[in-house]
Amino acid sequence: MVRLPYLTAISTLFSYGLLFAFGQMRDFFRKLIDWSKSKGKDLKGHAPICLGLEDFYTRRLYLRIQDCFSRPIASAPDAWIDVVERYSNDHNKTLHRTSNTTKCLNLGSYNYLGFAAADEYCTPLVIESLKKYSASTCSVRVDGGTTDLHTELEELVARFVGKPAAVLFGMGYVTNSAIIPALVGKGGLIISDSLNHNSIVNGARGSGAAVRVFQHNSPSHLEEVLREQIAEGQPRTHRPWKKIIVIVEGIYSMEGELCNLPEIIAVCKKYKAYTYLDEAHSIGAVGKSGRGVCELLGVDTADVDIMMGTFTKSFGSCGGYIAASKEIIQYLKYTCPAHLYATSMSPPAVQQVISAIKVILGEDGSNRGAQKLASIRENSNFFRSELQKMGFEVLGDNDSPVMPIMLYNPAKIPAFSRECLRRNVAVVTVAFPATPLLLARARICISASHTREDLMKGLDVISKVGDLVGIKYFPAEPPKHAEQDKKTLIRLLTSVDALLLLSRKPTLLHCCH
């Protein structure tokens, strides 16, 4: 959890207060001008879609810095990308693209294992599948949208994650938001981590089930919530809950933290609650063989009732999956709207995932998968360690490829992003409503495709920009080589002093001989 320093909190609140005050003043004068212009006119038509404070944040903050978001690229999301240059003639209210691009180090994409760029094994197979199956099935899974590739991938995913069966979906976000309402409804209880992804939040809200929240990554508070809810039962009637599902993430995308899965599983077992694990950012990226947090933390996948994941991060494709028992998967295929009514995954995208998993498992006849897993782990831990040594406040755990750097102040969001881009480093900055208002951050995502030179380049730029913007909230560690030079100098001076002492006293020198 982030512990916001007192002075930083005051300065951040003061900055937002200024923005709010001046924004309200501008809105007030704009209303006066609009009223004077429309006086005497008979205004008829639809009511405004956005009223008052509903879009205040967008108009008065986001539009001023929207050049830092939604930057278009003109290349594959590899270690280096071509960022399309844009300009604005109205203070960023509207942005216009140019034909110019800037080559930048990519520290923002989810391309954890480097499969999003051209791959010697995956790309030819994807091209072949495109020729054979075309770009789309133009049908839902229950009609004509199931190819032999879809069946193969479902079997492969089930084998990869260690569950009896799996089902595919065309979009990762929909995998959560459509599956959760199919699993639990009125009379059920969802207990969700306080920092779960928006797709989980929307899925829980749309389910009709009661929703309770436990403190982020806190098994003890989860147990308190479970005991209280089991004792009280359903509202008004106090009947027992039909089912209880606890939902957590493997790696939390805005914090970079690993889930305390073993402890949470133990609590769920104790109170007979189902466990739903979202592995969007962890599957393929962590674990000795890329099988996610269960492998990394030593959890038996049989203890996790429902495992969700996406193909958009480690596998360089699109879509998502649910892996569970055969009975649950069969039930979802009969009832989930995302399976019944949505167009199935594009066959080339399916082939990309199949090929990527085979590389990870070494079934392509090489050890490139093991090398990629070793690279993402080494790169992530090296980059995180160096950022912390520089004095940045970095969230997350070791082995996680997601590492947020805390910015806090709203003025530092565009400053950090623009200065990094000016030095040819593309980063992602995240602010409200994706994070709490006071906890703006830059989210760094590391890839196995990054070389050590790439990482050193990124660290050098981030360090310089951090000094310029003022986001090094902790004292930097002294460089190791400086400490070593200091120790060497002390030993050298000690040796010189000893020789001088011996030269002044020949008797001592004679005794030494």
Side-chain angles (χ1 to χ4, degrees):
M1 292 292 289
V2 181
R3 296 186 180 275
L4 186 60
Y6 181 75
L7 291 177
T8 303
I10 294 296
S11 64
T12 304
L13 283 170
F14 181 74
S15 299
Y16 277 112
L18 281 178
L19 286 169
F20 183 82
F22 281 101
Q24 289 292 340
M25 288 175 59
R26 295 187 66 179
D27 280 2
F28 173 74
F29 285 112
R30 188 179 73 171
K31 286 178 182 178
L32 287 179
I33 295 171
D34 291 346
W35 177 80
S36 64
K37 287 181 179 180
S38 62
K39 191 175 181 181
K41 295 181 181 179
D42 185 17
L43 297 177
K44 294 181 179 180
H46 297 289
I49 293 178
C50 298
L51 293 173
L53 293 175
E54 293 177 15
D55 67 331
F56 178 84
Y57 182 86
T58 301
R59 289 185 291 103
R60 296 305 180 198
L61 181 61
Y62 175 77
L63 288 181
R64 295 172 180 267
I65 62 173
Q66 70 166 327
D67 61 301
C68 301
F69 306 99
S70 304
R71 287 177 177 144
I73 65 173
S75 65
D78 204 359
W80 289 80
I81 54 175
D82 296 327
V83 179
V84 177
E85 296 178 8
R86 298 179 292 177
Y87 69 94
S88 175
N89 296 322
D90 54 6
H91 306 288
N92 278 344
K93 288 184 179 178
T94 56
L95 295 171
H96 305 278
R97 287 185 290 180
T98 69
S99 57
N100 301 325
T101 61
T102 303
K103 195 171 187 64
C104 296
L105 177 64
N106 182 11
L107 294 180
S109 297
Y110 301 138
N111 184 25
Y112 296 146
L113 294 183
F115 284 116
D119 183 84
E120 62 187 69
Y121 179 77
C122 300
T123 305
L125 293 173
V126 171
I127 294 173
E128 184 181 339
S129 69
L130 176 62
K131 293 177 180 178
K132 181 178 179 180
Y133 297 97
S134 83
S136 174
T137 62
C138 297
S139 182
V140 299
R141 287 292 304 274
V142 294
D143 293 338
T146 299
T147 67
D148 55 344
L149 291 179
H150 292 82
T151 304
E152 180 183 355
L153 180 55
E154 287 178 340
E155 295 172 354
L156 184 58
V157 165
R159 175 164 63 91
F160 183 65
V161 302
K163 300 297 283 185
V167 60
L168 309 179
F169 298 93
M171 182 180 177
Y173 187 97
V174 169
T175 306
N176 275 330
S177 59
I179 280 294
I180 293 173
L183 288 171
V184 59
K186 188 176 180 180
L189 174 64
I190 295 172
I191 303 180
S192 178
D193 187 286
S194 61
L195 295 183
N196 273 342
H197 190 263
N198 181 261
S199 60
I200 296 173
V201 174
N202 283 342
R205 286 174 178 172
S207 67
V211 181
R212 300 293 181 269
V213 176
F214 69 96
Q215 294 173 5
H216 173 57
N217 235 355
S218 174
S220 60
H221 189 247
L222 170 62
E223 184 168 10
E224 289 179 21
V225 173
L226 274 168
R227 291 178 64 181
E228 179 184 352
Q229 293 303 315
I230 290 173
E232 291 184 359
Q234 298 184 40
R236 293 189 299 276
T237 64
H238 300 291
R239 292 176 180 173
W241 297 102
K242 293 181 179 179
K243 66 180 78 169
I244 300 175
I245 296 181
V246 175
I247 304 180
V248 294
E249 296 185 36
I251 292 179
Y252 291 87
S253 59
M254 289 298 168
E255 286 69 35
E257 296 177 356
L258 295 170
C259 174
N260 289 329
L261 192 59
E263 296 86 349
I264 288 173
I265 291 291
V267 172
C268 291
K269 278 185 171 183
K270 181 179 179 180
Y271 293 94
K272 304 298 186 291
Y274 293 106
T275 309
Y276 184 109
L277 175 63
D278 178 343
E279 286 215 86
H281 286 269
S282 55
I283 191 66
V286 297
K288 185 178 180 180
S289 59
R291 287 178 165 89
V293 291
C294 289
E295 181 180 48
L296 180 66
L297 302 177
V299 174
D300 188 350
T301 55
D303 293 332
V304 181
D305 299 288
I306 298 142
M307 301 179 70
M308 175 270 178
T310 65
F311 303 128
T312 53
K313 280 79 176 177
S314 297
F315 307 105
S317 187
C318 62
Y321 69 86
I322 292 290
S325 66
K326 291 182 179 179
E327 293 76 17
I328 291 176
I329 297 302
Q330 198 63 38
Y331 169 78
L332 292 176
K333 288 183 177 181
Y334 289 150
T335 58
C336 181
H339 182 80
L340 297 172
Y341 304 114
T343 302
S344 63
M345 275 183 70
S346 168
V350 175
Q351 180 61 64
Q352 168 67 26
V353 182
I354 293 172
S355 304
I357 293 178
K358 287 185 176 180
V359 171
I360 294 171
L361 294 174
E363 294 178 6
D364 64 327
S366 73
N367 66 340
R368 290 194 307 120
Q371 291 175 355
K372 286 178 177 289
L373 291 168
S375 294
I376 183 64
R377 182 169 56 253
E378 292 169 5
N379 288 351
S380 299
N381 292 338
F382 169 75
F383 206 83
R384 181 185 302 278
S385 173
E386 293 301 311
L387 287 175
Q388 290 171 338
K389 290 176 183 177
M390 291 175 182
F392 291 103
E393 184 175 358
V394 185
L395 305 185
D397 298 314
N398 283 337
D399 288 352
S400 170
V402 181
M403 47 200 76
I405 301 174
M406 298 308 298
L407 303 177
Y408 298 118
N409 197 290
K412 296 180 180 181
I413 301 169
F416 183 81
S417 178
R418 290 166 183 164
E419 288 300 322
C420 284
L421 185 65
R422 196 165 67 86
R423 294 167 171 80
N424 301 108
V425 173
V427 297
V428 171
T429 50
V430 188
F432 180 84
T435 65
L437 187 66
L438 302 184
L439 302 181
R441 64 200 66 181
R443 184 176 63 176
I444 305 298
C445 292
I446 300 300
S447 171
S449 61
H450 286 132
T451 64
R452 186 52 60 95
E453 290 75 19
D454 295 337
L455 299 180
M456 294 304 297
K457 158 76 175 176
L459 288 167
D460 180 59
V461 168
I462 290 175
S463 179
K464 291 177 179 176
V465 174
D467 290 328
L468 180 66
V469 177
I471 57 172
K472 293 184 177 180
Y473 295 105
F474 299 108
E477 289 186 13
K480 283 187 177 181
H481 60 81
E483 289 292 319
Q484 291 173 353
D485 291 344
K486 184 178 179 181
K487 291 178 181 178
T488 303
L489 182 61
I490 291 173
R491 286 197 298 269
L492 181 62
L493 290 173
T494 304
S495 301
V496 170
D497 289 341
L499 289 173
L500 288 173
L501 178 63
L502 291 173
S503 64
R504 289 171 185 172
K505 296 185 178 181
T507 53
L508 289 176
L509 186 62
H510 179 72
C511 293
C512 290
H513 282 292

